[in-house]
Amino acid sequence: MSGHSKWSTIKRKKGAADAKRGKIFSKLNKEIMVAARIGGSDPSGNTRLRAAIAAAKAENMPKENIDRAIKKGAGELEGANAFEEVFYEGYGPSGVALLVESLTDNKNRTVSEVRHLFSKYGGSMGEAGCVAWMFDKKGVIAFSRDAVSEDELLEAALEAGAEDLQVGESEYEVITDLASFEKVKNALEEQGFKWEVAEIQMHPKTTIRLEEEKSAQQLLKLMEMLEDLDDVQHVFANFDIPDSLLEALG
């Protein structure tokens, strides 16, 4: 199973204590504006915008903030920056592939900041396309193994239109294509399945398992620092760290 759902869970649990709410809202605001600019202001016909709104609601972003961001992105209000979506690629400790998703109005600034962090935390930035081929854009809905039955979840997920169910040490990941993501998520919610993570991800085709504490710690620090950059929306990686090691790292 990919490490990204574990990473999302780590961030959510940490967030209860130390999330910078303003920074989170800023990133969500940019994603909503870009989604509305690209696909229009009607969420019913814009999958990316629907996902962005769902993410904003999950973070308790006020409705008026969401509506204003949609209108700015669609050109109905002034004040929207010309953010450009740019992906940066490279390798972290132990050769883990990293795909950095950014929304920026200054590519020179962003690439300089990203390259600096790759170098500082034991990674190396690569050329465009060097790792993107290792990922597919998928809907991912993760559930705690302690909370659901594998057989019941598999049956419900496939019936709702999911592509696959992947089994990890402590989580199940329901994998969907982009068009089916919300339908599958809603169907599972209606049947009482409570997810831990539900988001659109760049999902790795294969993973690298990290057993050594130093490499795992260095990788997680690199991802944390990259995601703390104002211009970075998400960092995707193809790592798999054992749960016991994640617990030891806190």
Side-chain angles (χ1 to χ4, degrees), residues 32-49:
I32 292 169
M33 285 194 293
V34 170
R37 187 186 75 208
I38 294 173
S41 61
D42 182 4
S44 65
N46 186 337
T47 300
R48 180 170 178 173
L49 180 58

PDB file of all heavy atoms in Angstrom, residues 32-49:
ATOM      1  N   ILE A  32      -9.162  25.989  -5.058  1.00  0.00           N
ATOM      2  CA  ILE A  32     -10.536  26.267  -5.489  1.00  0.00           C
ATOM      3  C   ILE A  32     -10.537  27.251  -6.657  1.00  0.00           C
ATOM      4  O   ILE A  32     -11.246  27.066  -7.656  1.00  0.00           O
ATOM      5  CB  ILE A  32     -11.379  26.810  -4.314  1.00  0.00           C
ATOM      6  CG1 ILE A  32     -11.603  25.715  -3.266  1.00  0.00           C
ATOM      7  CG2 ILE A  32     -12.729  27.335  -4.806  1.00  0.00           C
ATOM      8  CD1 ILE A  32     -12.195  26.223  -1.963  1.00  0.00           C
ATOM      9  N   MET A  33      -9.733  28.305  -6.558  1.00  0.00           N
ATOM     10  CA  MET A  33      -9.687  29.301  -7.632  1.00  0.00           C
ATOM     11  C   MET A  33      -9.199  28.695  -8.943  1.00  0.00           C
ATOM     12  O   MET A  33      -9.775  28.942 -10.010  1.00  0.00           O
ATOM     13  CB  MET A  33      -8.796  30.475  -7.217  1.00  0.00           C
ATOM     14  CG  MET A  33      -9.433  31.421  -6.210  1.00  0.00           C
ATOM     15  SD  MET A  33      -8.538  32.997  -6.053  1.00  0.00           S
ATOM     16  CE  MET A  33      -7.014  32.458  -5.310  1.00  0.00           C
ATOM     17  N   VAL A  34      -8.138  27.902  -8.867  1.00  0.00           N
ATOM     18  CA  VAL A  34      -7.596  27.290 -10.092  1.00  0.00           C
ATOM     19  C   VAL A  34      -8.589  26.299 -10.683  1.00  0.00           C
ATOM     20  O   VAL A  34      -8.795  26.259 -11.899  1.00  0.00           O
ATOM     21  CB  VAL A  34      -6.243  26.616  -9.799  1.00  0.00           C
ATOM     22  CG1 VAL A  34      -5.784  25.778 -10.989  1.00  0.00           C
ATOM     23  CG2 VAL A  34      -5.189  27.664  -9.465  1.00  0.00           C
ATOM     24  N   ALA A  35      -9.235  25.519  -9.820  1.00  0.00           N
ATOM     25  CA  ALA A  35     -10.218  24.552 -10.306  1.00  0.00           C
ATOM     26  C   ALA A  35     -11.372  25.255 -11.000  1.00  0.00           C
ATOM     27  O   ALA A  35     -11.852  24.812 -12.057  1.00  0.00           O
ATOM     28  CB  ALA A  35     -10.732  23.705  -9.145  1.00  0.00           C
ATOM     29  N   ALA A  36     -11.833  26.365 -10.425  1.00  0.00           N
ATOM     30  CA  ALA A  36     -12.941  27.120 -11.026  1.00  0.00           C
ATOM     31  C   ALA A  36     -12.509  27.791 -12.324  1.00  0.00           C
ATOM     32  O   ALA A  36     -13.285  27.872 -13.291  1.00  0.00           O
ATOM     33  CB  ALA A  36     -13.460  28.161 -10.033  1.00  0.00           C
ATOM     34  N   ARG A  37     -11.260  28.280 -12.375  1.00  0.00           N
ATOM     35  CA  ARG A  37     -10.757  28.921 -13.589  1.00  0.00           C
ATOM     36  C   ARG A  37     -10.661  27.925 -14.741  1.00  0.00           C
ATOM     37  O   ARG A  37     -11.012  28.222 -15.880  1.00  0.00           O
ATOM     38  CB  ARG A  37      -9.381  29.536 -13.316  1.00  0.00           C
ATOM     39  CG  ARG A  37      -8.853  30.384 -14.479  1.00  0.00           C
ATOM     40  CD  ARG A  37      -7.432  30.842 -14.198  1.00  0.00           C
ATOM     41  NE  ARG A  37      -6.477  29.761 -14.367  1.00  0.00           N
ATOM     42  CZ  ARG A  37      -5.320  29.686 -13.723  1.00  0.00           C
ATOM     43  NH1 ARG A  37      -4.989  30.609 -12.823  1.00  0.00           N
ATOM     44  NH2 ARG A  37      -4.491  28.685 -13.944  1.00  0.00           N
ATOM     45  N   ILE A  38     -10.195  26.712 -14.426  1.00  0.00           N
ATOM     46  CA  ILE A  38      -9.983  25.708 -15.468  1.00  0.00           C
ATOM     47  C   ILE A  38     -11.282  25.052 -15.915  1.00  0.00           C
ATOM     48  O   ILE A  38     -11.515  24.863 -17.112  1.00  0.00           O
ATOM     49  CB  ILE A  38      -8.990  24.633 -14.975  1.00  0.00           C
ATOM     50  CG1 ILE A  38      -7.610  25.248 -14.772  1.00  0.00           C
ATOM     51  CG2 ILE A  38      -8.907  23.466 -15.955  1.00  0.00           C
ATOM     52  CD1 ILE A  38      -6.606  24.315 -14.123  1.00  0.00           C
ATOM     53  N   GLY A  39     -12.130  24.698 -14.949  1.00  0.00           N
ATOM     54  CA  GLY A  39     -13.311  23.895 -15.275  1.00  0.00           C
ATOM     55  C   GLY A  39     -14.658  24.561 -15.089  1.00  0.00           C
ATOM     56  O   GLY A  39     -15.699  23.921 -15.287  1.00  0.00           O
ATOM     57  N   GLY A  40     -14.652  25.832 -14.679  1.00  0.00           N
ATOM     58  CA  GLY A  40     -15.919  26.530 -14.488  1.00  0.00           C
ATOM     59  C   GLY A  40     -16.398  26.486 -13.048  1.00  0.00           C
ATOM     60  O   GLY A  40     -15.915  25.707 -12.227  1.00  0.00           O
ATOM     61  N   SER A  41     -17.377  27.328 -12.731  1.00  0.00           N
ATOM     62  CA  SER A  41     -17.808  27.525 -11.350  1.00  0.00           C
ATOM     63  C   SER A  41     -18.889  26.570 -10.881  1.00  0.00           C
ATOM     64  O   SER A  41     -19.288  26.614  -9.716  1.00  0.00           O
ATOM     65  CB  SER A  41     -18.306  28.967 -11.176  1.00  0.00           C
ATOM     66  OG  SER A  41     -19.424  29.219 -12.033  1.00  0.00           O
ATOM     67  N   ASP A  42     -19.376  25.707 -11.753  1.00  0.00           N
ATOM     68  CA  ASP A  42     -20.434  24.770 -11.374  1.00  0.00           C
ATOM     69  C   ASP A  42     -19.813  23.453 -10.912  1.00  0.00           C
ATOM     70  O   ASP A  42     -19.292  22.688 -11.723  1.00  0.00           O
ATOM     71  CB  ASP A  42     -21.360  24.518 -12.567  1.00  0.00           C
ATOM     72  CG  ASP A  42     -22.507  23.582 -12.218  1.00  0.00           C
ATOM     73  OD1 ASP A  42     -22.631  23.195 -11.028  1.00  0.00           O
ATOM     74  OD2 ASP A  42     -23.287  23.238 -13.126  1.00  0.00           O
ATOM     75  N   PRO A  43     -19.870  23.150  -9.612  1.00  0.00           N
ATOM     76  CA  PRO A  43     -19.241  21.927  -9.110  1.00  0.00           C
ATOM     77  C   PRO A  43     -19.809  20.644  -9.712  1.00  0.00           C
ATOM     78  O   PRO A  43     -19.100  19.643  -9.809  1.00  0.00           O
ATOM     79  CB  PRO A  43     -19.520  21.975  -7.597  1.00  0.00           C
ATOM     80  CG  PRO A  43     -19.821  23.405  -7.303  1.00  0.00           C
ATOM     81  CD  PRO A  43     -20.480  23.941  -8.534  1.00  0.00           C
ATOM     82  N   SER A  44     -21.070  20.681 -10.136  1.00  0.00           N
ATOM     83  CA  SER A  44     -21.689  19.459 -10.665  1.00  0.00           C
ATOM     84  C   SER A  44     -21.012  18.987 -11.942  1.00  0.00           C
ATOM     85  O   SER A  44     -21.029  17.789 -12.261  1.00  0.00           O
ATOM     86  CB  SER A  44     -23.183  19.680 -10.912  1.00  0.00           C
ATOM     87  OG  SER A  44     -23.387  20.650 -11.935  1.00  0.00           O
ATOM     88  N   GLY A  45     -20.394  19.908 -12.664  1.00  0.00           N
ATOM     89  CA  GLY A  45     -19.710  19.531 -13.898  1.00  0.00           C
ATOM     90  C   GLY A  45     -18.208  19.670 -13.831  1.00  0.00           C
ATOM     91  O   GLY A  45     -17.522  19.639 -14.848  1.00  0.00           O
ATOM     92  N   ASN A  46     -17.676  19.846 -12.626  1.00  0.00           N
ATOM     93  CA  ASN A  46     -16.248  20.104 -12.439  1.00  0.00           C
ATOM     94  C   ASN A  46     -15.739  19.227 -11.298  1.00  0.00           C
ATOM     95  O   ASN A  46     -15.842  19.592 -10.118  1.00  0.00           O
ATOM     96  CB  ASN A  46     -16.037  21.590 -12.132  1.00  0.00           C
ATOM     97  CG  ASN A  46     -14.565  21.988 -12.069  1.00  0.00           C
ATOM     98  OD1 ASN A  46     -13.698  21.148 -11.841  1.00  0.00           O
ATOM     99  ND2 ASN A  46     -14.283  23.264 -12.245  1.00  0.00           N
ATOM    100  N   THR A  47     -15.192  18.071 -11.643  1.00  0.00           N
ATOM    101  CA  THR A  47     -14.743  17.104 -10.631  1.00  0.00           C
ATOM    102  C   THR A  47     -13.683  17.694  -9.722  1.00  0.00           C
ATOM    103  O   THR A  47     -13.715  17.499  -8.502  1.00  0.00           O
ATOM    104  CB  THR A  47     -14.176  15.847 -11.317  1.00  0.00           C
ATOM    105  OG1 THR A  47     -15.196  15.260 -12.128  1.00  0.00           O
ATOM    106  CG2 THR A  47     -13.718  14.827 -10.288  1.00  0.00           C
ATOM    107  N   ARG A  48     -12.741  18.416 -10.296  1.00  0.00           N
ATOM    108  CA  ARG A  48     -11.662  18.999  -9.484  1.00  0.00           C
ATOM    109  C   ARG A  48     -12.213  20.005  -8.487  1.00  0.00           C
ATOM    110  O   ARG A  48     -11.781  20.043  -7.327  1.00  0.00           O
ATOM    111  CB  ARG A  48     -10.621  19.645 -10.392  1.00  0.00           C
ATOM    112  CG  ARG A  48      -9.462  20.282  -9.635  1.00  0.00           C
ATOM    113  CD  ARG A  48      -8.345  20.703 -10.562  1.00  0.00           C
ATOM    114  NE  ARG A  48      -7.266  21.352  -9.842  1.00  0.00           N
ATOM    115  CZ  ARG A  48      -6.112  21.707 -10.394  1.00  0.00           C
ATOM    116  NH1 ARG A  48      -5.884  21.460 -11.679  1.00  0.00           N
ATOM    117  NH2 ARG A  48      -5.175  22.303  -9.676  1.00  0.00           N
ATOM    118  N   LEU A  49     -13.165  20.808  -8.917  1.00  0.00           N
ATOM    119  CA  LEU A  49     -13.751  21.796  -8.012  1.00  0.00           C
ATOM    120  C   LEU A  49     -14.531  21.109  -6.896  1.00  0.00           C
ATOM    121  O   LEU A  49     -14.459  21.531  -5.732  1.00  0.00           O
ATOM    122  CB  LEU A  49     -14.651  22.756  -8.794  1.00  0.00           C
ATOM    123  CG  LEU A  49     -15.327  23.855  -7.962  1.00  0.00           C
ATOM    124  CD1 LEU A  49     -14.292  24.706  -7.241  1.00  0.00           C
ATOM    125  CD2 LEU A  49     -16.209  24.725  -8.852  1.00  0.00           C
TER     126      LEU A  49
END
